[in-house]
Amino acid sequence: METLKSAVPDALKQEISNSTPSQLPSTCSSLLDFFHNLPQFHQMIKDLTDPSVALCCKDRNAALEAKLKGNECFSKGEYSNALLFYSKALHLAPVDMDDMEINLVALLYVNRASTLQKMGLLLECLRDCSRALRVSPRYAKAWFRRGKANISLGKFEDAIRDLNISLMLEISSSGKRQIEAELKIALDEFKRIGIPGKKTNQNQSEVPDEPDQVKLQCLLTTTKGRGMFCVDDVSEASLVHKEDPYAAVILKKCRDTHCHFCFNELPADAISCASCSIPLYCSDWCQIQAGTPKFDKSSNSFSGLEGLADDLKNYMSDVVLAGASTLDTGHIAEHRHECHGFHWPLILPSEVVLAGRILVKVIEQNRRASADSNLVGFLDLSHNYLQLPPESKLEMHIYSIILLHCLQHFYRTELPISGIMVSKPVILLSQIQVNSMAVVRMQAPEVKGPIYEPGNALTSNLEQVKVGQAIYVAGSFFNHSCQPNIHTYFLSRTLHVQATEYVLAGSELELSYGPQVGQWDCKDRQRLLEDRYSFTCQCTCCSELNVSDLVINAYRCTKLNCLGVILDRTVTTCEKQKLKLLIDAPTVYSKQVEKLKDANIAEVACHVFESDYMLEPQHCLVCDSYRDLEASCAAISQTVSCCKRLQDAIASNEVPTNILLDAVKCTDLLRTIFHPYNKRIAELEDNLAQAFCLVGERQAAIDHCKASIQILEKLYGVNHIAIGNELIKLASLQILVGDSAASGSISRITAILSRYYGSHADEIYPYLQYLKGRQDAD
């Protein structure tokens, strides 16, 4: 990329940096003509699309090498390492290659199945055996391994069938004796129990019934463009909207840990694409929906098996064809165009790969409608091209040209490249920048050892991890608010939108694009939204005074027992704008004042109710006392290294006594400088809770955890999801000490999470389920 950027003439760069959307066909055409005469460009396209130089092709030799390492680990009883090597070998193995007259992929599936069985992962073992049989239906060892897995699962009737088929296919006498021994075990157990085990369908999972979604209306607003409004009243915790993505892509950092289709964590028996080594999937269903080419030999399953009973032939057919589900009707496979030995999906940024998937979907939809492949019917989404800096405009031009050339290797003459065609993905990339959603998963920190041992409570932060990026067409019409009335979450790749409060009919439904009230103050929120999404937030919290924005970074009054806030210059400037808006609207002034009084602003800033009050930095907003913030900041700087040492000690899971005592002293000092509701104090209390837990002083940890929560409740409100996350920490500590208050904490957590996730709270927060289990056990 840097080579191409530096090669572009300055005059053309200037033309691109000044371009508007209407000028894109011209600027794209000029850059396209320049690149077509540039050898470096043609070399880059070759590197990205030539299968002979790609890193993503299958590699038989590398697969065999990984298989041998897996065999060594298995023979030593190092089953975790053996699993890693067999999985690597499966990722690299060509599906149509043999190893000692046995299909290499089938052999590797059976080897991994043996490892999984040794590790007690029986369902995963069973699935791998079935995968081996889809590739090689007459593989006796796969039927034998499947039979053993079914015995361990108590499915003796299936085990008997598996072993009988294995016995028919096995040619060696020693192998037959081994099968007969297992068959006797299965028959004896079947006779003893007499009831076949319940069959389960591995390709489907039970999905709880979803409540009806509310009726929505997309309307044009005066200040924010289109927005989503509710037609009727919406109750708290109602499911507002549910949507599958128009297109989605996994983030690079999660390629080895999460499924490339549904974005769930990969199981031990993850499977790869049959033709390339880029994606990994959690199931056969996800693999097929993504569009991986199919390979199986089920058509010749029964040749030479004339002696096999009809019921066993039917059973054999059921097993071999069980994973041969087809692509959903109307679904356009998102990986197929990437799966021909091309290198570019591995190299280009995730948002560019996502743009490629959107382009392909439009092309395929046009194909089905017998329309020209000119990218008509493009997504009707807002974009921020005009507001982009020159560097971003140039990069989007270059990536668009590269992307179309890469796609042309799949679509050939169906995708002619011109200035007009290149302008489409340029706009698309700017649409992705402002409309795409990060698909997230809740990541609970590991708890090493039993929860009742010192230091093993969950006291570190619960975090949402971004695993994917997706475009939800209807979902993109929901506008932003720093204090939203809806919340988004993801089950698999499906977007769910849920109301977190009662919403009156005709009201706009707004979600949060970034930090909310309570996380950052107003000026920092607005700066991020402007930088990332190119708009100035005018939501209620950014245009009206609120307690959280006043106290989150405030200093305390120098007068004892006064709760008034003292603001620095930057915060004062932002809050002055809100105060001016309030004073300049005399018709609503008295109404707004009453609203602010109800919000308890008087205890921290009663002066704001005076119509002639001039908000000044360094002066208390209750008693007008002065604080020298330069001296205060100097004192704060003396505590930075102490706080950092504590955080480092917590990260290492070892907190020396001297570091802990110094941190307590620093916190006491900072309490004399920062306002009692300042978020820095809450963060320090949280760190102390973690530290005291690590040294085994659980009651002290509980006290500091409670102190942190009390401050956060002032910043967020008592029913915010952030409070639910903090209460999970508190409950885990309370369970440690046998405190009966844990049940009350867990009840609060459940109520809060239900507002945000409905019946899916336990699924999204697995640690909550664990806490409930620990509480019941105690």
Side-chain angles (χ1 to χ4, degrees):
M1 169 58 77
E2 292 304 318
T3 302
L4 295 183
K5 282 167 63 176
S6 62
V8 178
D10 289 341
L12 183 51
K13 284 182 181 177
Q14 188 65 35
E15 185 183 347
I16 290 171
S17 68
N18 295 331
S19 62
T20 64
S22 63
Q23 296 169 329
L24 280 175
S26 173
T27 56
C28 290
S29 181
S30 298
L31 187 61
L32 186 63
D33 291 341
F34 173 76
F35 279 159
H36 279 171
N37 295 309
L38 189 70
Q40 298 99 307
F41 172 76
H42 293 285
Q43 183 60 49
M44 175 177 284
I45 298 301
K46 182 180 178 182
D47 292 342
L48 291 171
T49 58
D50 187 349
S52 65
V53 298
L55 300 174
C56 57
C57 293
K58 297 292 186 178
D59 187 333
R60 181 179 185 273
N61 292 332
L64 289 172
E65 183 181 346
K67 175 202 156 202
L68 289 175
K69 289 181 180 178
N71 290 347
E72 290 175 12
C73 293
F74 187 88
S75 64
K76 294 176 184 177
E78 299 172 359
Y79 300 121
S80 295
N81 289 333
L83 177 63
L84 292 175
F85 283 118
Y86 287 141
S87 295
K88 181 181 178 181
L90 279 164
H91 201 42
L92 296 169
V95 77
D96 55 352
M97 293 285 184
D98 289 346
D99 180 31
M100 297 181 294
E101 299 185 354
I102 300 172
N103 180 277
L104 178 58
V105 169
L107 186 150
L108 288 167
Y109 273 130
V110 170
N111 284 5
R112 192 171 73 170
S114 301
T115 306
L116 291 166
Q117 188 168 28
K118 290 286 188 182
M119 297 173 72
L121 301 172
L122 301 177
L123 288 175
E124 291 85 345
C125 168
L126 196 67
R127 290 196 292 260
D128 264 3
C129 291
S130 299
R131 289 166 185 148
L133 292 168
R134 283 197 290 279
V135 177
S136 184
R138 296 169 60 84
Y139 190 11
K141 191 173 181 181
W143 287 108
F144 173 70
R145 180 60 56 194
R146 194 175 193 279
K148 289 192 69 172
N150 272 324
I151 289 174
S152 298
L153 287 165
K155 300 164 69 173
F156 302 114
E157 190 175 26
D158 284 353
I160 292 166
R161 290 166 176 160
D162 293 330
L163 294 168
N164 273 321
I165 295 171
S166 179
L167 192 61
M168 172 69 73
L169 295 170
E170 180 59 52
I171 57 174
S172 71
S173 56
S174 60
K176 285 183 179 291
R177 286 194 297 272
Q178 191 177 15
I179 295 167
E180 287 167 349
E182 291 294 330
L183 185 56
K184 183 178 184 304
I185 293 172
L187 287 166
D188 289 346
E189 288 297 316
F190 182 67
K191 289 175 183 176
R192 184 175 66 83
I193 296 175
I195 301 173
K198 182 181 178 181
K199 295 183 180 180
T200 58
N201 186 341
Q202 297 300 325
N203 298 313
Q204 297 179 352
S205 59
E206 292 185 8
V207 179
D209 292 335
E210 292 282 5
D212 292 336
Q213 298 170 50
V214 303
K215 189 175 181 181
L216 302 177
Q217 192 173 15
C218 184
L219 300 174
L220 191 64
T221 68
T222 55
T223 57
K224 297 184 289 185
R226 289 173 297 190
M228 290 295 235
F229 293 76
C230 55
V231 175
D232 303 308
D233 289 357
V234 179
S235 300
E236 180 185 292
S238 296
L239 181 65
V240 170
H241 179 65
K242 180 179 172 184
E243 182 183 2
D244 286 327
Y246 185 86
V249 67
I250 195 165
L251 299 185
K252 288 186 176 182
K253 65 178 182 177
C254 298
R255 283 175 174 170
D256 295 329
T257 57
H258 290 75
C259 175
H260 287 222
F261 183 77
C262 74
F263 304 133
N264 289 332
E265 283 192 38
L266 289 170
D269 62 326
I271 57 177
S272 61
C273 175
S275 297
C276 74
S277 60
I278 296 178
L280 290 167
Y281 303 106
C282 67
S283 66
D284 302 285
W285 187 87
C286 284
Q287 183 196 54
I288 292 167
Q289 298 310 307
T292 190
K294 290 175 64 177
F295 180 89
D296 65 62
K297 296 183 178 179
S298 55
S299 57
N300 62 355
S301 300
F302 309 115
S303 57
L305 295 177
E306 289 77 11
L308 197 65
D310 288 342
D311 65 322
L312 288 182
K313 285 184 180 179
N314 292 334
Y315 176 78
M316 188 177 183
S317 177
D318 289 344
V319 171
V320 170
L321 298 176
S325 56
T326 57
L327 204 63
D328 281 352
T329 305
H331 180 81
I332 294 173
E334 60 189 16
H335 174 60
R336 188 172 292 154
H337 65 282
E338 304 166 351
C339 187
H340 292 268
F342 301 147
H343 197 44
W344 63 267
L346 203 62
I347 301 300
L348 297 181
S350 298
E351 60 269 21
V352 178
V353 178
L354 177 60
R357 292 185 170 188
I358 294 171
L359 291 172
V360 165
K361 188 161 187 175
V362 173
I363 292 168
E364 294 295 334
Q365 287 172 336
N366 290 342
R367 264 183 175 182
R368 295 180 182 185
S370 300
D372 294 333
S373 293
N374 60 358
L375 305 185
V376 296
F378 217 58
L379 295 180
D380 181 23
L381 299 176
S382 60
H383 64 81
N384 66 338
Y385 183 79
L386 269 177
Q387 290 78 30
L388 290 174
E391 186 84 0
S392 297
K393 287 184 176 181
L394 178 61
E395 286 183 357
M396 286 184 179
H397 274 69
I398 296 174
Y399 276 129
S400 297
I401 292 173
I402 291 172
L403 178 61
L404 286 180
H405 278 82
C406 291
L407 291 175
Q408 195 179 53
H409 277 73
F410 183 79
Y411 284 103
R412 305 295 178 184
T413 57
E414 284 188 75
L415 190 60
I417 300 178
S418 64
I420 293 176
M421 289 292 283
V422 173
S423 70
K424 301 288 187 179
V426 172
I427 291 296
L428 176 56
L429 286 169
S430 65
Q431 288 175 321
I432 287 172
Q433 189 172 86
V434 297
N435 291 284
S436 67
M437 289 188 181
V439 181
V440 297
R441 294 288 182 269
M442 183 59 66
Q443 178 176 293
E446 291 183 13
V447 180
K448 299 176 182 177
I451 191 172
Y452 46 80
E453 289 184 3
N456 285 345
L458 173 58
T459 54
S460 53
N461 291 328
L462 287 160
E463 295 180 351
Q464 282 192 333
V465 179
K466 296 177 182 179
V467 297
Q469 187 176 8
I471 288 289
Y472 297 90
V473 177
S476 67
F477 294 152
F478 288 98
N479 282 319
H480 164 82
S481 171
C482 293
Q483 196 165 42
N485 54 14
I486 56 175
H487 175 73
T488 60
Y489 62 93
F490 301 88
L491 296 177
S492 181
R493 56 197 268 140
T494 303
L495 168 70
H496 290 67
V497 181
Q498 184 158 312
T500 56
E501 60 187 63
Y502 191 89
V503 184
L504 294 174
S507 301
E508 185 171 9
L509 296 163
E510 298 170 308
L511 53 80
S512 172
Y513 292 0
Q516 300 179 23
V517 170
Q519 285 180 276
W520 295 2
D521 67 14
C522 181
K523 62 178 174 55
D524 292 336
R525 294 196 310 270
Q526 290 203 324
R527 187 184 302 120
L528 179 138
L529 292 167
E530 194 160 344
D531 290 347
R532 187 175 297 176
Y533 299 105
S534 304
F535 75 88
T536 301
C537 183
Q538 299 177 22
C539 74
T540 303
C541 291
C542 288
S543 55
E544 296 180 6
L545 294 168
N546 61 80
V547 171
S548 184
D549 283 346
L550 287 169
V551 303
I552 190 169
N553 290 318
Y555 298 84
R556 78 175 305 147
C557 180
T558 53
K559 187 178 292 185
L560 196 64
N561 299 325
C562 178
L563 262 182
V565 297
I566 293 176
L567 308 179
D568 65 21
R569 191 169 301 279
T570 58
V571 176
T572 299
T573 300
C574 183
E575 297 304 310
K576 265 185 177 180
Q577 293 297 319
K578 296 182 186 179
L579 192 58
K580 185 176 185 300
L581 289 172
L582 178 65
I583 295 171
D584 288 351
T587 56
V588 295
Y589 178 74
S590 59
K591 191 175 181 180
Q592 290 291 337
V593 166
E594 289 305 314
K595 180 180 175 183
L596 293 174
K597 287 180 178 177
D598 289 342
N600 297 320
I601 283 185
E603 71 171 352
V604 297
C606 64
H607 277 330
V608 299
F609 302 126
E610 301 167 11
S611 60
D612 59 345
Y613 181 68
M614 298 296 293
L615 193 64
E616 295 293 339
Q618 302 191 94
H619 287 268
C620 175
L621 300 192
V622 169
C623 69
D624 209 33
S625 297
Y626 173 80
R627 182 174 201 114
D628 183 351
L629 291 189
E630 186 176 347
S632 296
C633 289
I636 292 167
S637 65
Q638 300 298 316
T639 67
V640 172
S641 60
C642 173
C643 296
K644 180 66 167 59
R645 284 196 300 272
L646 179 65
Q647 291 170 348
D648 292 343
I650 292 169
S652 68
N653 286 325
E654 291 185 8
V655 182
T657 303
N658 63 314
I659 289 179
L660 181 54
L661 292 176
D662 287 346
V664 171
K665 290 178 183 177
C666 285
T667 302
D668 291 340
L669 171 62
L670 291 173
R671 279 187 174 279
T672 67
I673 300 172
F674 288 132
H675 191 273
Y677 304 155
N678 187 302
K679 195 170 185 179
R680 283 279 300 278
I681 299 295
E683 290 168 349
L684 288 167
E685 293 287 4
D686 186 62
N687 287 339
L688 288 173
Q690 294 180 60
F692 276 111
C693 182
L694 285 170
V695 300
E697 294 189 33
R698 302 167 186 169
Q699 189 55 54
I702 288 174
D703 294 340
H704 286 286
C705 189
K706 286 180 177 179
S708 175
I709 291 172
Q710 287 172 356
I711 297 172
L712 295 176
E713 285 177 337
K714 293 287 185 180
L715 297 175
Y716 289 101
V718 295
N719 292 319
H720 195 276
I721 186 67
I723 305 303
N725 291 338
E726 296 303 309
L727 285 169
I728 289 178
K729 302 178 189 178
L730 178 61
S732 69
L733 286 165
Q734 290 169 330
I735 289 172
L736 270 176
V737 300
D739 189 343
S740 60
S743 60
S745 296
I746 292 175
S747 295
R748 271 195 73 189
I749 296 164
T750 303
I752 291 172
L753 296 187
S754 294
R755 292 180 70 219
Y756 286 81
Y757 300 104
S759 60
H760 300 292
D762 283 353
E763 182 181 350
I764 294 169
Y765 277 74
Y767 201 85
L768 174 58
Q769 203 168 9
Y770 180 68
L771 279 182
K772 291 177 179 178
R774 282 295 310 148
Q775 183 191 20
D776 293 341
D778 292 344

